[in-house]
Amino acid sequence: KEASQDGEENAEGDQQTKPMSITSDEVNFLVYRYLQESGFVHSSFTFAYESLLTKSSCVNTPLPPGALITFLQKGLQYLAIEEHLTAEGNERRCDADFGLLSPHTCEALMGGGQGGLPNMVGVDQQATMMQDAMEVEEGEGELMPVVPAPIINQPPPVNDEATEVPLGSFLTLSRHTSEVFMCSWNPVRTNLLATGSGDATARIWTMDGETAAHGFSKSVTLKHGEYLGDKNKDVTTLEWSPDGRYLATGSYDGVARVWDHDGKIVYTLNKHKGPIFSLKWSKSGAFLLSGSYDKSTIVWEMAGGTLKQQFNFHTAPALDVDWCRDEVFASCSTDKSVVVCKVGGIEGTIERFEGHTDEVNAVKWSPDGTLLASCSDDGTAKVWSSGSAQPLHNFTDHTKEIYTIKWSPTGPGSANPQKPLLLATASFDNDVRLWSPITGGCVHVLSRHTQPVYSIAFSPSATYLASGSLAGKLYVWNVEEGKQIKAYTGKGDIFEVAWNKEENR
């Protein structure tokens, strides 16, 4: 589809305006980049997959950050100018805001109106004029510098000077060429860090010494595509095996790959028909579990890298999976349900929980496997117990979507049985909350982020909790006191945080 504008002669009558066009692929690419830059990881993957954007040449086009917002802003500026010009070419003064969707009413007029009444532009008319404005700007053939869109009700800036991590106490690993979406420390070879990126690679970093100041000695690249930056091969998830021997990675092309700790490929698992969103090793390391956009979950047998069983109990993409024990796991989906399945069972599914009213983003079993937690775009987190269709607890204090949840490594079945069990929730309302599954109450509200929180992680001893958000803000909290003790501000959004076993990185 193309939108074009007929040329008109200029004042001298010897030149015509060049024809201009906007293709659907170009619009889709702008939307895709906007979703990526806004942190909507799942949405951007889904949009690119359904729009066949990865097959378009547009994905190789250099595009500055905020390009879609820039076009919208320039379109609004054009509309504002056009609306406030009189027939005589004079400017009509107006102090009212000019919005993207809301009708415009001039607050002060200098001619041009009829009967002294304010001039109004309806939504439909604005949309038409916006299209014209976009076509004119596209024809100019250049992208203007990005001007940040105004943020309504922006929280006041937070002063973290007293707790900011000093220069020299952190290390930046910068060899990826696109966003890094996940990271994971090896549980046994604790100087190894794995990272996964939108540049179609994962990397295994060998860290030196005991602190960040010692740097790293080696970085091994695990290529998932034919070339660096292959957009159909984005690494979407990764996890080390419990014994630290293998690293499993999932990618946008629907393939799960298993590598040894030196970065050599061991298995290529390619039965999924859509992007893989989640991978989890069973506690024994005998099985690998994957959840995909194709609505299915697959259990892989690691003795030979073969498919053991495929489950098709969701009616929409499976976003997260988690093991209870080697033969039982849970999965959640955009179909608003949580399903518990048994490996090798004739029916396959044991229980289905359907209390959420929107997409379910994550599921996690408690350390002893007796409680299952889930969180959703409906703004709630729920704790389920086997045998009951109703949640044991329904946590509703967050005011926006809850993106992820984590159980503390405490209580029965954990390495810290003497400490009470807690559930942490991270939300787009900028807060992290700690809940007690015993009382059902909120223990602490960790309120310091000013942007949506995407990732949280308890330290191995459960003494600390790390949280990461958009705008590059990382905090470390004292769990018992609910107080922030460390702060770090990066240059990009933070999508994942992880602790090493020694708790010093």
Side-chain angles (χ1 to χ4, degrees), residues 329 338-342 348-353 365 385-389:
F329 70 89
V338 176
V339 174
V340 180
C341 298
K342 183 175 183 180
T349 181
I350 299 176
E351 290 181 286
R352 178 183 291 269
F353 300 115
W365 290 97
S385 181
S386 180
S388 175

Side-chain angles (χ1 to χ4, degrees), residues 120-142:
M120 298 189 65
V121 180
V123 175
D124 291 340
Q125 184 182 354
Q126 275 190 243
T128 302
M129 295 166 67
M130 172 65 78
Q131 180 181 359
D132 294 340
M134 292 287 287
E135 290 170 0
V136 170
E137 298 299 342
E138 178 73 7
E140 291 179 355
E142 60 183 51

Side-chain angles (χ1 to χ4, degrees), residues 346-400:
I346 298 176
E347 298 297 329
T349 181
I350 299 176
E351 290 181 286
R352 178 183 291 269
F353 300 115
E354 297 185 319
H356 286 291
T357 59
D358 209 331
E359 298 181 3
V360 185
N361 295 316
V363 285
K364 295 291 182 292
W365 290 97
S366 61
D368 64 355
T370 60
L371 300 175
L372 177 64
S374 60
C375 66
S376 168
D377 281 354
D378 65 11
T380 72
K382 303 181 190 296
V383 177
W384 310 88
S385 181
S386 180
S388 175
Q390 299 299 317
L392 179 65
H393 298 297
N394 185 28
F395 301 132
T396 61
D397 290 359
H398 283 293
T399 58
K400 292 185 179 180

Side-chain angles (χ1 to χ4, degrees), residues 32 35-50 181-182 234-237 252 275-279 291-293 317-321 332-334 359-364 375 377 402-404 428 454 495-496:
Y32 169 73
L35 291 172
Q36 271 197 327
E37 293 163 5
S38 300
F40 300 117
V41 181
H42 294 143
S43 298
S44 63
F45 286 149
T46 301
F47 181 76
Y49 183 75
E50 291 187 340
F181 293 119
M182 69 289 304
D234 292 14
V235 179
T236 54
T237 181
Y252 184 79
I276 295 175
F277 289 145
S278 182
L279 283 174
S292 169
Y293 177 85
L319 297 183
D320 195 23
V321 292
C332 66
S333 167
T334 60
E359 298 181 3
V360 185
N361 295 316
V363 285
K364 295 291 182 292
C375 66
D377 281 354
I402 302 177
Y403 187 73
T404 190
F428 287 1
Y454 268 82
F495 297 113
E496 181 99 69

Side-chain angles (χ1 to χ4, degrees), residues 186 189 192-195 201-206 218-224 240 244-249 257-268:
N186 190 300
R189 297 167 175 82
L192 298 182
L193 173 68
T195 56
T201 72
R203 286 180 178 267
I204 298 177
W205 310 79
T206 302
K218 185 172 65 173
S219 171
V220 179
T221 303
L222 315 182
K223 294 182 179 179
H224 289 64
W240 289 101
R245 294 176 60 195
Y246 303 108
L247 175 70
T249 63
R257 296 169 175 85
V258 178
W259 318 73
D260 67 17
H261 62 83
D262 291 322
K264 297 177 181 177
I265 190 70
V266 179
Y267 298 126
T268 301

Side-chain angles (χ1 to χ4, degrees), residues 17-36:
T17 304
K18 295 180 179 180
M20 293 167 283
S21 67
I22 301 175
T23 68
S24 58
D25 281 348
E26 290 171 338
V27 174
N28 288 341
F29 186 45
L30 287 169
V31 173
Y32 169 73
R33 283 294 300 270
Y34 170 78
L35 291 172
Q36 271 197 327

Side-chain angles (χ1 to χ4, degrees), residues 489-504:
T489 305
K491 295 181 179 179
D493 300 329
I494 296 178
F495 297 113
E496 181 99 69
V497 292
W499 291 88
N500 69 344
K501 184 177 181 180
E502 290 83 7
E503 211 166 280
N504 59 356

Side-chain angles (χ1 to χ4, degrees), residues 3-246:
S4 62
Q5 180 176 337
D6 293 333
E8 295 181 358
E9 292 186 358
N10 63 5
E12 288 75 26
D14 59 355
Q15 186 176 355
Q16 288 187 334
T17 304
K18 295 180 179 180
M20 293 167 283
S21 67
I22 301 175
T23 68
S24 58
D25 281 348
E26 290 171 338
V27 174
N28 288 341
F29 186 45
L30 287 169
V31 173
Y32 169 73
R33 283 294 300 270
Y34 170 78
L35 291 172
Q36 271 197 327
E37 293 163 5
S38 300
F40 300 117
V41 181
H42 294 143
S43 298
S44 63
F45 286 149
T46 301
F47 181 76
Y49 183 75
E50 291 187 340
S51 65
L52 302 179
L53 190 56
T54 55
K55 298 182 179 180
S56 170
S57 59
C58 287
V59 296
N60 299 318
T61 304
L63 199 66
L68 178 61
I69 301 301
T70 299
F71 281 132
L72 291 175
Q73 287 177 325
K74 292 180 75 176
L76 276 179
Q77 291 171 350
Y78 179 90
L79 289 178
I81 293 172
E82 186 177 63
E83 168 62 15
H84 296 106
L85 282 179
T86 66
E88 294 78 20
N90 299 319
E91 179 184 2
R92 180 190 299 114
R93 182 180 177 183
C94 173
D95 296 325
D97 292 334
F98 206 92
L100 185 62
L101 299 178
S102 57
H104 177 70
T105 303
C106 290
E107 291 184 354
L109 299 175
M110 292 181 62
Q114 296 182 1
L117 295 177
N119 217 349
M120 298 189 65
V121 180
V123 175
D124 291 340
Q125 184 182 354
Q126 275 190 243
T128 302
M129 295 166 67
M130 172 65 78
Q131 180 181 359
D132 294 340
M134 292 287 287
E135 290 170 0
V136 170
E137 298 299 342
E138 178 73 7
E140 291 179 355
E142 60 183 51
L143 292 173
M144 300 298 290
V146 178
V147 180
I151 301 176
I152 301 175
N153 298 325
Q154 182 178 17
V158 176
N159 186 354
D160 293 319
E161 185 176 346
T163 57
E164 192 77 26
V165 176
L167 189 67
S169 296
F170 60 86
L171 174 67
T172 302
L173 307 175
S174 55
R175 292 189 177 178
H176 282 292
T177 59
S178 186
E179 298 95 334
V180 179
F181 293 119
M182 69 289 304
C183 58
S184 178
W185 289 96
N186 190 300
V188 178
R189 297 167 175 82
T190 57
N191 65 325
L192 298 182
L193 173 68
T195 56
S197 169
D199 65 8
T201 72
R203 286 180 178 267
I204 298 177
W205 310 79
T206 302
M207 313 305 295
D208 291 335
E210 296 183 356
T211 66
H214 290 93
F216 72 97
S217 59
K218 185 172 65 173
S219 171
V220 179
T221 303
L222 315 182
K223 294 182 179 179
H224 289 64
E226 296 181 3
Y227 57 89
L228 189 66
D230 188 340
K231 284 301 178 182
N232 195 39
K233 309 285 185 178
D234 292 14
V235 179
T236 54
T237 181
L238 57 76
E239 184 173 86
W240 289 101
S241 62
D243 62 6
R245 294 176 60 195
Y246 303 108

